[in-house]
Amino acid sequence: MEFYFFEISLAIVAVIVTWMGCKAIKGIWTQVKRRISYMVGKSQDNQGVVNLNASESLASSSEPCHWKYDVFLSFRGPDTRKGITFDIYDRLNTRGIKTFMDDRDLEVGDAISPTLIAAIKESRFAIVVLSQNYASSTWCLEELREICLSMEDNRILPLFYHVDPTDVRYQKKGSFKEAFSKHVKSGRYTSEKVKEWRAALYKVANISGWSTTDHKTERGLVEAIVDLLSSKVVPDAIESTGDFQAFEATRQAMNEVMKALIDDKVTCVGVHGMGGVGKTTMVKHVAAQTCKNGSFNHWIMATISQNNDLIKIQDTLAELLGFTLQEKTEDGRATRLHKEILRREKLLIIMDDVWARTDLSRIGIPSYKELQKCKSKVLLTTRRLNVCHAMKCQEKISLNILSEEDSLTLFLRNARIMSFESPTFEKVVKRVAAECKGLPIALIAVARALGDKDPVEWEKAAQRLEKSQSANPDHEEDAFECIKLSYDYLKDEEYKSFFLLCSLFPEDDVINIEDLFRYAIGIGLFRDAETINEARGTAYTVVEHLKDSSLLLESDYVTRVRMHDVVRDTALNIAKSEGGHRFLVKAGCGLDDWPPISRLDEGCTAISLMSNRMRKLPPQLVCPKLQILLLNQNYGLDEIPETFFQTLNELRVLDLSRTGISYLPQSFGLLTNLRALYLFDCEKLRDISVVGKIMTLEVLSVKGANFMELSRDIGNLTNLRVLDFTNGWIFEIPSKLLSKLHSLEELYLRYRFGADFDEGY
């Protein structure tokens, strides 16, 4: 009789398919499957598994016409909510894939809510995060049972998170066995209910999914999940690109920009707004969308910044256009770039972070009239509205700060807060978010700093921000305070010192992590590491933490990072105000002469004058506490006065790379605390024998050096740990020299000629 009922039910469904809407079909089919599940459970009491899929092919026709959610996440909260599940949720939503993630942990005896059942039914896919304690939660088991009743196999995507699929499938050992033993012994659940749970686990364990054993890192696993879902779900194009999320203020400005860019009468569009509000991110997104919809064929982007480095800007644009500028003069480079741009049609040229009126013709960008003929346009971003006027932008669009509601949404997302522990905690979180004044960069930095802290720390942060910003009308200054808070919450002093080192590089520079690491070694960071390579690993860990804290940004290369200009300004303010870190930074500012050193500056611990045009140094530098001196990339600097280093006994890091110096003064021997010395690409330097007097030296880089013979005095450097002669032309290395370097861990030697190595070295 029971099996006769199955046949009639299936026949009824088959008839109804031909004329009823898809939601109705889905509802009827769900009821049929529930009935099948129940009947099979009663008729096969002796079996451990219940079949929940009598007819998958029929169910496939029951997909709704419109899904409310793209993905439903099933997981056990205490196991993965603040870990991989949130990462998946965050990344999917960032990609524009609507994902449902319940924010409650139900207690024993709580029933699965109608809202949750509805969310399952209205989701196109379900990701089931099967963690060690998943089966210990009867709520998770009920949720999974509902998923199996409502969805076909190809819509259920299991993630075996540090569990063996066999243990999930049979529940005969490990945590899954223990969980079911407890459920049975408790006496709260009928044998029929337990069989349904077992059947659901059996089903999901037989579906192909992901496993932690198949991926080296959790980040790689999340990427694989997001990539697969991205290929199955096409999000709304306006919602996201990469990590971009369009809130109301952003969306409004973005729509205005896109409208202006498709206006044939408009050739230059200016976007203005305060630092950290998200201008750069927004225009990148707009550019991608306009190329996607055919308004433009290609887009290129260069950062102008306060430095206005013409050569760097030209090289960036040329590289993005697929060629290299070989011309040596400024006019020659501009002429070539001008021609290449006019050869293209429908090209969008983005000039990012413009601080003052900029003569685009000096760069090589054609006039607006010339661009109009080839349907190309200029889009610029600036903090100042008057720059838009000076650059003769036909459309001037403001990007405003986020609304209170959107600010809280962005804040909670980055703090990974899915629910509030109490009304009191909710109030303090909202207070902290409000103090970020709607600036995305501040909201993200503070949220990530406080995300895992207890309510007491949240209260302290709220009080501190309220106190520091109570009389402050400038929202950009508010951003400084918020980023300073994020800095203060870094794990330890080494993390802080490493972060501040990044501010020594020019604004908008791409920072090589290896250079950063060697500077860090020079000032004594990562001393707990037993080897240089172990210390390097620690440095990369710190970089990842700083990126996760929103204090550093990704670059196009995994070995490099960038620093947002607002974050860099904050770092410099911190370095100026803290006793242990007094920095004087004039990097990439176009200096022709040595800047005046005030009495206050004499107490500096770091001076960075890299990437300027200086030709001379003062007779003597009086900075007795100086530990870092960066003079690299001053190509015209060809001489170091003999008395220059006489008072720099605390100096630990010295970078003279890419200068024109031809010899090192004998006063080098006075640098008795120097640990890191950089002389790479000093093409005129022929003799470094004086370096042999610096017994404390641990890192010596003379990449690109040209030596007939490597000085025997280098053998005195018994503390040397890194010796880098990459791309150097060394015709002879004295016998036994390298064997004297007892502490040497890393030797980089390429393009050597006639070098005599010790046997077995």
Side-chain angles (χ1 to χ4, degrees):
M1 184 65 182
E2 291 167 347
F3 289 99
Y4 177 70
F5 169 80
F6 299 160
E7 294 173 3
I8 294 176
S9 299
L10 294 177
I12 291 172
V13 172
V15 172
I16 293 176
V17 166
T18 62
W19 63 276
M20 287 193 68
C22 38
K23 287 189 177 180
I25 297 170
K26 182 176 176 65
I28 292 175
W29 174 240
T30 300
Q31 294 303 318
V32 172
K33 290 180 77 176
R34 287 178 184 278
R35 180 60 179 162
I36 293 173
S37 166
Y38 174 76
M39 289 299 183
V40 174
K42 289 195 68 176
S43 64
Q44 299 180 8
D45 288 335
N46 296 326
Q47 296 186 23
V49 176
V50 181
N51 178 15
L52 294 174
N53 291 287
S55 178
E56 289 299 338
S57 60
L58 185 60
S60 65
S61 66
S62 63
E63 288 193 5
C65 302
H66 176 72
W67 303 105
K68 185 174 181 180
Y69 303 103
D70 296 312
V71 177
F72 179 93
L73 281 172
S74 176
F75 64 99
R76 186 172 185 274
D79 288 3
T80 65
R81 169 176 282 116
K82 292 186 177 180
I84 193 168
T85 298
F86 184 87
D87 288 338
I88 295 170
Y89 172 81
D90 184 46
R91 291 298 308 282
L92 288 175
N93 278 298
T94 296
R95 290 279 189 98
I97 299 173
K98 297 177 183 177
T99 306
F100 181 91
M101 177 178 175
D102 193 51
D103 61 358
R104 297 173 302 159
D105 287 318
L106 297 190
E107 301 296 332
V108 174
D110 284 353
I112 185 168
S113 69
T115 302
L116 204 61
I117 293 174
I120 292 171
K121 292 178 179 179
E122 295 171 346
S123 296
R124 184 176 178 183
F125 296 101
I127 295 178
V128 183
V129 185
L130 295 156
S131 56
Q132 287 283 342
N133 299 306
Y134 185 89
S136 66
S137 168
T138 56
W139 177 48
C140 287
L141 293 172
E142 274 293 281
E143 189 173 88
L144 180 61
R145 172 181 166 276
E146 192 66 43
I147 289 170
C148 290
L149 286 170
S150 303
M151 294 186 178
E152 304 77 31
D153 287 5
N154 61 358
R155 292 168 51 203
I156 302 173
L157 308 171
L159 166 56
F160 299 97
Y161 188 70
H162 299 297
V163 296
D164 190 324
T166 304
D167 294 342
V168 178
R169 185 180 296 116
Y170 298 112
Q171 310 104 44
K172 290 186 177 180
K173 62 179 181 178
S175 59
F176 282 79
K177 177 183 177 182
E178 294 173 6
F180 274 92
S181 295
K182 290 180 181 179
H183 296 329
V184 172
K185 288 179 181 178
S186 71
R188 294 193 184 100
Y189 315 106
T190 65
S191 60
E192 180 182 325
K193 177 65 68 177
V194 173
K195 284 181 181 180
E196 290 175 348
W197 292 341
R198 288 186 184 275
L201 287 171
Y202 181 86
K203 172 179 177 174
V204 78
N206 280 302
I207 299 173
S208 177
W210 302 277
S211 174
T212 47
T213 59
D214 296 330
H215 297 269
K216 292 182 180 179
T217 63
E218 205 161 281
R219 175 178 291 186
L221 174 58
V222 173
E223 288 291 339
I225 293 170
V226 173
D227 286 346
L228 177 69
L229 267 300
S230 296
S231 69
K232 290 179 175 291
V233 178
V234 180
D236 294 336
I238 201 69
E239 288 296 333
S240 64
T241 293
D243 291 331
F244 176 75
Q245 183 170 354
F247 291 104
E248 184 56 37
T250 325
R251 188 188 301 276
Q252 181 178 343
M254 185 168 57
N255 289 338
E256 290 182 38
V257 174
M258 294 186 79
K259 182 179 178 181
L261 289 176
I262 62 175
D263 188 340
D264 293 338
K265 298 177 183 178
V266 175
T267 310
C268 183
V269 179
V271 176
H272 60 94
M274 66 179 60
V277 79
K279 299 183 296 296
T280 303
T281 307
M282 186 199 76
V283 296
K284 283 182 178 179
H285 175 74
V286 169
Q289 295 302 318
T290 54
C291 288
K292 186 176 180 180
N293 65 25
S295 299
F296 293 94
N297 294 330
H298 190 52
W299 65 276
I300 56 176
M301 178 175 180
T303 302
I304 307 300
S305 74
Q306 297 181 72
N307 302 335
N308 205 355
D309 187 337
L310 188 63
I311 292 176
K312 183 178 178 181
I313 295 166
Q314 290 173 328
D315 284 340
T316 299
L317 295 176
E319 182 181 350
L320 292 172
L321 289 171
F323 70 95
T324 302
L325 286 168
Q326 304 289 352
E327 292 76 9
K328 302 213 179 199
T329 67
E330 180 180 304
D331 289 343
R333 291 165 61 88
T335 300
R336 171 77 189 283
L337 189 58
H338 181 277
K339 288 180 179 178
E340 291 291 340
I341 290 175
L342 288 180
R343 283 181 54 212
R344 278 105 173 145
E345 280 198 350
K346 297 170 70 174
L347 176 67
L348 179 60
I349 305 166
I350 301 177
M351 297 284 100
D352 188 39
D353 198 21
V354 182
W355 282 77
R357 184 186 178 281
T358 302
D359 185 353
L360 298 183
S361 65
R362 281 190 63 204
I363 298 172
I365 298 174
S367 68
Y368 296 160
K369 287 185 178 180
E370 289 175 307
L371 289 173
Q372 195 170 34
K373 291 178 182 177
C374 54
K375 300 179 182 178
S376 297
K377 301 192 179 189
V378 172
L379 172 60
L380 66 86
T381 72
T382 178
R383 297 190 188 187
R384 304 169 180 175
L385 176 59
N386 66 332
V387 171
C388 294
H389 292 297
M391 296 296 293
K392 298 181 179 179
C393 298
Q394 290 111 327
E395 290 289 341
K396 307 165 192 70
I397 297 158
S398 172
L399 178 57
N400 297 316
I401 59 175
L402 300 185
S403 67
E404 184 177 338
E405 181 181 353
D406 286 342
S407 294
L408 185 60
T409 299
L410 180 63
F411 189 83
L412 294 178
R413 170 187 162 196
N414 282 276
R416 298 191 171 190
I417 295 175
M418 300 300 298
S419 61
F420 296 107
E421 299 173 8
S422 66
T424 303
F425 182 59
E426 180 179 359
K427 288 180 181 178
V428 75
V429 169
K430 289 181 177 180
R431 280 168 56 202
V432 173
E435 290 302 321
C436 296
K437 310 299 182 185
L439 274 174
I441 192 171
L443 288 159
I444 294 171
V446 174
R448 292 182 178 179
L450 293 173
D452 59 350
K453 300 298 185 292
D454 58 41
V456 174
E457 288 296 326
W458 279 87
E459 178 61 39
K460 289 180 181 177
Q463 292 176 359
R464 171 180 161 179
L465 290 174
E466 288 167 348
K467 181 178 180 180
S468 64
Q469 298 178 7
S470 57
N472 188 358
D474 188 344
H475 286 190
E476 245 175 86
E477 291 296 324
D478 293 339
F480 292 167
E481 290 297 331
C482 293
I483 295 165
K484 173 67 162 59
L485 179 71
S486 184
Y487 163 84
D488 288 338
Y489 274 105
L490 290 175
K491 291 184 177 181
D492 55 39
E493 290 304 315
E494 282 197 333
Y495 280 62
K496 293 178 179 179
S497 296
F498 195 81
F499 165 71
L500 293 180
L501 284 177
C502 299
S503 67
L504 297 175
F505 292 81
E507 183 181 347
D508 297 311
D509 203 23
V510 178
I511 304 169
N512 190 313
I513 299 175
E514 183 65 22
D515 291 343
L516 199 58
F517 163 65
R518 293 185 183 181
Y519 288 168
I521 288 294
I523 62 172
L525 299 184
F526 314 130
R527 287 287 165 182
D528 292 339
E530 294 184 2
T531 66
I532 282 289
N533 199 45
E534 183 182 336
R536 183 179 288 107
T538 303
Y540 272 84
T541 299
V542 175
V543 167
E544 289 302 314
H545 182 79
L546 292 174
K547 287 195 289 189
D548 290 342
S549 302
S550 200
L551 293 176
L552 287 180
L553 301 173
E554 298 277 0
S555 175
D556 293 336
Y557 305 93
V558 294
T559 58
R560 299 177 184 179
V561 291
R562 295 180 299 110
M563 202 175 203
H564 192 286
D565 52 357
V566 174
V567 175
R568 180 176 180 270
D569 289 345
T570 303
L572 290 174
N573 284 343
I574 293 170
K576 287 178 183 177
S577 62
E578 293 194 355
H581 304 285
R582 294 194 62 81
F583 291 0
L584 172 61
V585 180
K586 299 287 184 181
C589 294
L591 295 179
D592 294 310
D593 301 308
W594 184 270
I597 303 293
S598 66
R599 286 186 176 275
L600 188 62
D601 293 332
E602 289 179 4
C604 284
T605 60
I607 294 178
S608 175
L609 302 174
M610 67 168 77
S611 301
N612 283 302
R613 300 190 294 261
M614 292 186 303
R615 294 182 176 275
K616 290 185 179 181
L617 299 180
Q620 187 175 3
L621 178 58
V622 182
C623 286
K625 295 182 180 180
L626 192 65
Q627 295 184 17
I628 303 173
L629 178 59
L630 308 179
L631 299 174
N632 45 307
Q633 297 183 63
N634 281 278
Y635 295 95
L637 182 62
D638 57 8
E639 184 180 1
I640 302 175
E642 183 63 43
T643 56
F644 184 76
F645 294 113
Q646 284 185 351
T647 62
L648 302 182
N649 291 336
E650 293 299 314
L651 196 64
R652 287 166 168 75
V653 176
L654 175 61
D655 197 339
L656 295 168
S657 302
R658 293 175 181 164
T659 60
I661 58 173
S662 56
Y663 71 94
L664 301 176
Q666 289 302 308
S667 58
F668 244 63
L670 300 175
L671 302 177
T672 54
N673 285 300
L674 193 66
R675 292 175 179 165
L677 175 61
Y678 294 88
L679 299 167
F680 65 81
D681 285 346
C682 291
E683 297 177 355
K684 297 180 181 178
L685 189 62
R686 294 291 181 268
D687 180 16
I688 59 170
S689 56
V690 68
V691 174
K693 296 179 181 180
I694 310 174
M695 305 298 292
T696 54
L697 206 61
E698 296 183 13
V699 178
L700 174 59
S701 176
V702 283
K703 292 193 292 185
N706 300 317
F707 301 131
M708 291 301 296
E709 180 181 356
L710 185 60
S711 173
R712 293 179 182 274
D713 294 329
I714 299 300
N716 298 329
L717 304 178
T718 54
N719 288 308
L720 198 65
R721 303 173 71 186
V722 178
L723 179 56
D724 190 351
F725 283 118
T726 307
N727 296 341
W729 294 77
I730 303 172
F731 285 85
E732 186 177 351
I733 297 178
S735 177
K736 306 297 182 183
L737 185 149
L738 294 176
S739 62
K740 294 179 181 180
L741 304 177
H742 304 302
S743 301
L744 194 63
E745 298 177 40
E746 297 182 357
L747 173 64
Y748 301 91
L749 188 61
R750 218 177 282 168
Y751 302 134
R752 57 187 175 83
F753 294 87
D756 179 16
F757 279 98
D758 297 320
E759 185 177 351
Y761 187 80

